[in-house]
Amino acid sequence: MFLRRITNCLILLTLIHLPHTGAENVFIAAEGKTVHLPCHSPPKDSVQVSVEWTKHSANNTTICKLVNQLTADCINHFKLNIESLTLSIENVKPSDSGYYSCKTSRIIPPPTLDNISNVTLNVETRPHLSLQLKNSSNATCVHLLCSLEGLTTERVNFTWSREGQYTTNAMNSELCLCKPDWSEGDIITCYASYSGTQTQQSILLSSQNPSEKAIGQLLIISCSAAAGLILCIILLVVICKCRKQDQHGSIVFTNKVYENFSFAMARQNTQPIDKPQPEECIYEN
């Protein structure tokens, strides 16, 4: 009987001192949202309390600390509510997932009294929404496909809008429009809702499908390159015809302008050189 009482007391003490890691202390947040992690309340008779939030990992990191009763020192995108001691994480990322603990220490009145509570945060990665224009056998119709990476269509609600007006194809990841239901320059938007989060993607419609656009751009580039090559060849031929080299390696221009210029220069060089006048001699009688 005595041993049973001792065993029950030990079990009770163990349950009291074990950290609370039940479902109520596990928080799930979507990437990009703001999450608030609660901390236990300090003793009612506390006049001055120190608070420290820590993220447990290979190297335990102190992310928030109450310097005094009016100022909190936090890192990165963490904030501490001084009144409720709640830790707020803005624009949560998958790297924020982990095991957090809040430690409070009653400083005044003495003696010091410590208390620790633990919470777990799981951040769900935001799936990427893609909107694709599929090939259609009918030239007057467009076929759009909206999908979320990593999620099945059963877990996602899809809605569509054209120029801000919702269509009747709700709850469907595919949309097919035929003229006159769409026209050149229309903007079609796909909305995907999942787990309380909504994301969207838009596309601009045109009568020319992407494959035709790519072929057209390729033709333009090819024609430009061919025209440039032909122009270079013509320029080289003209230059080669305008000048030639004689056997001695000197350049002789066949162009009339250059021939006249060469003739004038040759004529100038062949003018007779004035002979020096004989010196006059003065003979004395």
Side-chain angles (χ1 to χ4, degrees):
M1 189 60 133
F2 179 73
L3 292 176
R4 181 180 296 178
R5 288 183 179 179
I6 293 177
T7 303
N8 293 336
C9 290
L10 290 174
I11 294 174
L12 181 61
L13 290 174
T14 302
L15 292 176
I16 292 175
H17 288 86
L18 279 177
H20 299 285
T21 57
E24 67 276 10
N25 290 327
V26 177
F27 294 84
I28 300 176
E31 182 180 2
K33 297 295 184 178
T34 299
V35 65
H36 306 281
L37 303 181
C39 181
H40 59 271
S41 300
K44 295 182 179 179
D45 59 345
S46 300
V47 177
Q48 184 175 352
V49 179
S50 66
V51 181
E52 183 176 338
W53 273 94
T54 303
K55 182 181 179 182
H56 298 276
S57 57
N59 296 323
N60 293 340
T61 305
T62 300
I63 54 180
C64 260
K65 190 173 183 179
L66 189 64
V67 178
N68 52 52
Q69 300 303 115
L70 300 176
T71 306
D73 184 17
C74 300
I75 64 173
N76 299 334
H77 51 291
F78 298 94
K79 290 184 178 180
L80 178 64
N81 188 313
I82 298 177
E83 295 182 358
S84 63
L85 307 182
T86 300
L87 179 67
S88 299
I89 309 176
E90 299 178 349
N91 190 22
V92 292
K93 306 174 183 178
S95 58
D96 293 326
S97 299
Y99 184 62
Y100 294 81
S101 66
C102 176
K103 178 182 178 181
T104 61
S105 299
R106 185 186 68 184
I107 301 175
I108 300 176
T112 301
L113 181 62
D114 297 336
N115 199 353
I116 299 177
S117 59
N118 304 289
V119 294
T120 301
L121 175 63
N122 293 326
V123 180
E124 294 182 343
T125 304
R126 179 188 299 172
H128 174 69
L129 179 66
S130 63
L131 179 57
Q132 300 176 354
L133 179 62
K134 311 295 287 187
N135 293 330
S136 178
S137 58
N138 191 341
T140 62
C141 298
V142 291
H143 184 199
L144 301 175
L145 176 62
C146 196
S147 60
L148 272 174
E149 295 180 359
L151 292 179
T152 59
T153 56
E154 291 78 10
R155 298 178 54 190
V156 185
N157 295 333
F158 293 97
T159 55
W160 297 84
S161 71
R162 181 173 67 90
E163 299 295 337
Q165 298 180 355
Y166 284 90
T167 67
T168 57
N169 295 69
M171 307 291 290
N172 195 345
S173 60
E174 297 186 25
L175 178 66
C176 186
L177 295 175
C178 295
K179 289 185 176 181
D181 292 335
W182 74 277
S183 58
E184 184 81 14
D186 282 351
I187 298 178
I188 304 296
T189 304
C190 171
Y191 301 88
S193 301
Y194 62 97
S195 303
T197 303
Q198 186 182 73
T199 183
Q200 66 185 57
Q201 189 69 263
S202 301
I203 191 172
L204 178 65
L205 296 182
S206 63
S207 57
Q208 192 178 32
N209 59 44
S211 60
E212 293 176 349
K213 287 184 179 180
I215 295 174
Q217 292 176 356
L218 183 60
L219 288 175
I220 293 175
I221 295 174
S222 302
C223 293
S224 301
L229 181 60
I230 294 174
L231 182 61
C232 291
I233 294 174
I234 293 175
L235 184 60
L236 289 174
V237 171
V238 171
I239 294 175
C240 291
K241 283 186 176 182
C242 289
R243 62 182 184 179
K244 63 179 180 179
Q245 290 185 346
D246 61 6
Q247 296 178 354
H248 301 286
S250 61
I251 298 176
V252 179
F253 293 92
T254 60
N255 187 279
K256 295 298 182 181
V257 176
Y258 292 105
E259 287 179 358
N260 295 334
F261 177 74
S262 301
F263 177 76
M265 293 297 295
R267 186 175 180 182
Q268 182 179 357
N269 293 332
T270 57
Q271 287 182 357
I273 302 174
D274 296 337
K275 295 182 179 180
Q277 297 295 331
E279 294 182 357
E280 295 181 356
C281 295
I282 301 174
Y283 299 94
E284 292 181 359
N285 293 330

